[in-house]
Amino acid sequence: MSQEPQKSSIFKVIGASSLGTLIEWYDFYIFGSLATIIGAQLFPADAGASALINTLAIFAAGFIVRPFGALVFGRLGDLIGRKYTFLLTLVLMGGSTFLIGLIPSYSSIGYAAPILVLILRLVQGLALGGEYGGAATYVAEHAPSNKRGFFTSWIQTTATGGLFLSLGIIVLTKNIMGADDFADWGWRIPFLLSILLVGVSIYIRMKMHESPMFTKLKKEGNISKNPLKESFSHKANFKMVLLALFGATMGQGVIWYTGQFYAQSFIENTCKVDFNESRYILLWGIAFATPFFVIFGSWSDKIGRKWIMLTGMLLGIVFYRPIYQVFLDDTDVSHVSTEQVLKSEPPVIERVPAGAATDVLYTTSTRITLKSGMSYTKVQTATKYENGSPDTLITTYKDKVLATPVFWKFVALIFFQILLVTMVYGPIAAFLVELFPTKIRYTSMSLPYHVGNGVFGGLVPFIATLIASFSGSTPLSGLWYPIGIATLSFIIGAVYLSNKKPDHGEAE
């Protein structure tokens, strides 16, 4: 038989699976990309920093329930098939995302707003918990054994691709509408647009055929009667589930979310880089690094999955703190001298109404451009305390636009972090698929993936931001969470993971 039809078929499988998975990641990540703006909509105007932390907590809730989605939809996938299960997850994800775009703000319905959004985020998390395992299993079961890493790595690109798409649409929408309208109501547009993307993907997925391996099992009557019991009550299989979680997906998860989500949050919220500027940095880094998912996935077919993934973890452990120190140092303008200033625009003075305990006399905002090409807004807030305490003058710096050389330095540092993501994430689908037999594969691989990636990884932005907010913490304190988890995973993986494919006695 000619190989050409087979090649054509596998690329159709990859295309159909990847498009739907990319859209699900897009839906899931819009929320995180807009956390600061959404926080201002969901909570009272005087909530301050707690609005961001609470919004990140709602964002994290979607990750926490992903393992439950993995169990529910993994079981369905092993009972009724891969195709219809991840068709259902796509519908749930798309509907939830669309509805988030319609939720009224706090000013209209009070705390019902964040509660409704939380419920929809939980539905999103459940849906994503079932999507990834289905797509990865579906592609892997169409792929030849010696190219499984290469073919499944295309599914791996969809997570970063979904983030890239979400950032691109957000920046485009904001630039068309303007910052004020976007912050007021335009942030809803990326959520509402997703329904069109989901519709296209559902149409394509309806035309897909079931996985050949699952079809074979079904014809032979060998489908698992109780995938949950077989996955987790059998000692040998449960051991592999735990090994996959603690030796691979846990470390992979924190590398993924540090290099992409926490990096963006840190640059925007800690370094106070301009909204668009922070996203342009991430977009360029993603664009340059994404091809390496396929490179490392393909390479893992030749040399094995283990050491590629563990090397990515080790490099993150070693280089995260130096990288984020560079982010801080290169955006620090607190010691700028007058000789470094190219121009200073006339200050804008705004008087603020008196509060119950304090009387804010005024805020003075001055846009400053340096000779290096960097610009930023210097904000000075003078406060008079009615209880007799000494007056205060607080100076902050925000909306920083980097000089061109520094911008590209930041792009390079983001690229390096995402390169580590491609090392740990590119081979992981093939690694997980090969650990478990076909009849319980969807269930068995989904749980460790979504606990490691969704819970340990997904909580990085929230936990790291929370740690850094504690009294006595430094801006880099939050990095101890991903560094600690990655270190533990690296040690377990180095000692216990095998670099050889398990033999389940299956025909390839």
Side-chain angles (χ1 to χ4, degrees):
M1 181 183 292
S2 169
Q3 292 299 309
E4 198 57 43
Q6 293 180 9
K7 289 182 180 179
S8 174
S9 175
I10 187 64
F11 281 112
K12 285 181 181 178
V13 166
I14 291 170
S17 302
S18 297
L19 177 62
T21 306
L22 182 144
I23 291 168
E24 289 219 29
W25 284 114
Y26 164 83
D27 287 353
F28 199 71
Y29 287 141
I30 302 172
F31 194 95
S33 300
L34 292 171
T36 304
I37 290 175
I38 293 174
Q41 295 286 329
L42 296 183
F43 296 97
D46 59 355
S50 66
L52 175 61
I53 293 176
N54 290 335
T55 305
L56 288 175
I58 293 175
F59 180 60
F63 292 95
I64 292 172
V65 298
R66 277 170 55 179
F68 298 100
L71 293 175
V72 172
F73 294 107
R75 179 177 181 275
L76 287 177
D78 285 326
L79 288 173
I80 67 173
R82 296 28 171 147
K83 171 186 171 179
Y84 292 105
T85 302
F86 67 51
L87 186 61
L88 175 59
T89 64
L90 183 62
V91 172
L92 289 174
M93 176 67 82
S96 301
T97 304
F98 181 78
L99 290 174
I100 288 177
L102 298 177
I103 297 294
S105 64
Y106 175 87
S107 61
S108 299
I109 59 173
Y111 281 107
I115 292 172
L116 289 173
V117 171
L118 174 61
I119 292 170
L120 292 173
R121 279 294 297 172
L122 294 176
V123 175
Q124 284 188 322
L126 290 171
L128 192 62
E131 166 67 21
Y132 174 83
T137 300
Y138 187 78
V139 170
E141 291 179 353
H142 279 83
S145 175
N146 63 340
K147 291 188 177 180
R148 193 173 280 149
F150 170 69
F151 286 127
T152 58
S153 65
W154 290 96
I155 288 291
Q156 306 308 90
T157 67
T158 61
T160 296
L163 178 57
F164 184 92
L165 183 63
S166 70
L167 291 171
I169 289 179
I170 287 167
V171 170
L172 181 63
T173 306
K174 181 174 181 287
N175 288 346
I176 291 173
M177 298 186 63
D180 292 340
D181 284 342
F182 183 79
D184 185 28
W185 62 272
W187 61 272
R188 299 176 183 276
I189 292 176
F191 287 93
L192 301 177
L193 279 177
S194 72
I195 202 70
L196 301 176
L197 303 174
V198 170
V200 172
S201 185
I202 289 174
Y203 174 77
I204 293 173
R205 283 195 171 181
M206 288 291 290
K207 296 180 175 296
M208 295 166 64
H209 299 290
E210 186 53 82
S211 148
M213 287 188 181
F214 184 83
T215 301
K216 182 174 181 289
L217 278 182
K218 193 172 183 180
K219 285 182 179 179
E220 295 171 349
N222 289 330
I223 294 174
S224 173
K225 294 180 174 58
N226 192 333
L228 292 176
K229 182 178 179 180
E230 290 189 43
S231 293
F232 308 120
S233 66
H234 292 185
K235 184 177 179 180
N237 199 75
F238 188 58
K239 177 183 175 183
M240 299 309 291
V241 170
L242 294 178
L243 184 57
L245 169 59
F246 294 109
T249 63
M250 182 173 73
Q252 171 259 309
V254 295
I255 296 294
W256 206 106
Y257 287 96
T258 302
Q260 297 185 136
F261 264 101
Y262 187 63
Q264 177 196 303
S265 177
F266 189 89
I267 290 172
E268 180 183 1
N269 298 310
T270 303
C271 300
K272 304 297 182 183
V273 172
D274 174 74
F275 180 95
N276 278 0
E277 187 93 340
S278 64
R279 282 151 182 81
Y280 288 142
I281 291 167
L282 202 62
L283 283 169
W284 279 111
I286 290 172
F288 289 138
T290 295
F292 287 90
F293 283 108
V294 179
I295 291 172
F296 286 118
S298 179
W299 196 22
S300 75
D301 287 326
K302 299 176 175 63
I303 68 170
R305 329 288 185 200
K306 171 181 176 177
W307 289 110
I308 295 176
M309 296 188 296
L310 294 184
T311 299
M313 293 181 206
L314 181 61
L315 291 173
I317 294 165
V318 172
F319 287 107
Y320 275 156
R321 285 184 66 86
I323 287 172
Y324 284 76
Q325 187 64 58
V326 171
F327 289 154
L328 285 175
D329 293 344
D330 286 0
T331 56
D332 182 8
V333 293
S334 59
H335 303 294
V336 168
S337 64
T338 54
E339 290 78 11
Q340 295 173 280
V341 176
L342 177 65
K343 67 176 181 178
S344 180
E345 297 178 6
V348 176
I349 301 175
E350 178 184 2
R351 296 188 178 277
V352 181
T358 63
D359 181 9
V360 180
L361 299 179
Y362 60 84
T363 61
T364 304
S365 301
T366 308
R367 190 68 186 174
I368 297 171
T369 302
L370 304 181
K371 293 176 182 177
S372 66
M374 182 180 185
S375 63
Y376 57 91
T377 300
K378 179 179 181 180
V379 181
Q380 292 184 303
T381 304
T383 308
K384 178 182 178 181
Y385 291 90
E386 297 200 3
N387 60 9
S389 299
D391 295 351
T392 61
L393 180 65
I394 299 175
T395 301
T396 56
Y397 306 91
K398 64 178 186 176
D399 300 333
K400 299 171 185 175
V401 176
L402 305 176
T404 300
V406 177
F407 175 89
W408 288 110
K409 181 198 289 189
F410 277 36
V411 169
L413 294 175
I414 292 293
F415 164 79
F416 176 75
Q417 291 183 73
I418 300 177
L419 184 68
L420 305 188
V421 172
T422 67
M423 295 179 73
V424 297
Y425 199 57
I428 197 113
F431 166 77
L432 291 172
V433 164
E434 291 164 351
L435 281 182
F436 306 106
T438 302
K439 67 178 184 176
I440 56 170
R441 178 172 286 155
Y442 200 148
T443 303
S444 295
M445 73 167 285
S446 292
L447 183 67
Y449 173 80
H450 286 292
V451 174
N453 190 279
V455 177
F456 286 100
L459 291 177
V460 167
F462 172 67
I463 292 180
T465 302
L466 186 64
I467 291 173
S469 71
F470 291 156
S471 177
S473 296
T474 70
L476 299 183
S477 297
L479 289 171
W480 288 121
Y481 171 70
I483 289 173
I485 296 296
T487 300
L488 180 61
S489 190
F490 174 83
I491 294 170
I492 295 173
V495 174
Y496 294 107
L497 283 188
S498 170
N499 207 37
K500 297 179 180 179
K501 300 176 188 176
D503 181 11
H504 298 297
E506 298 171 355
E508 298 292 355

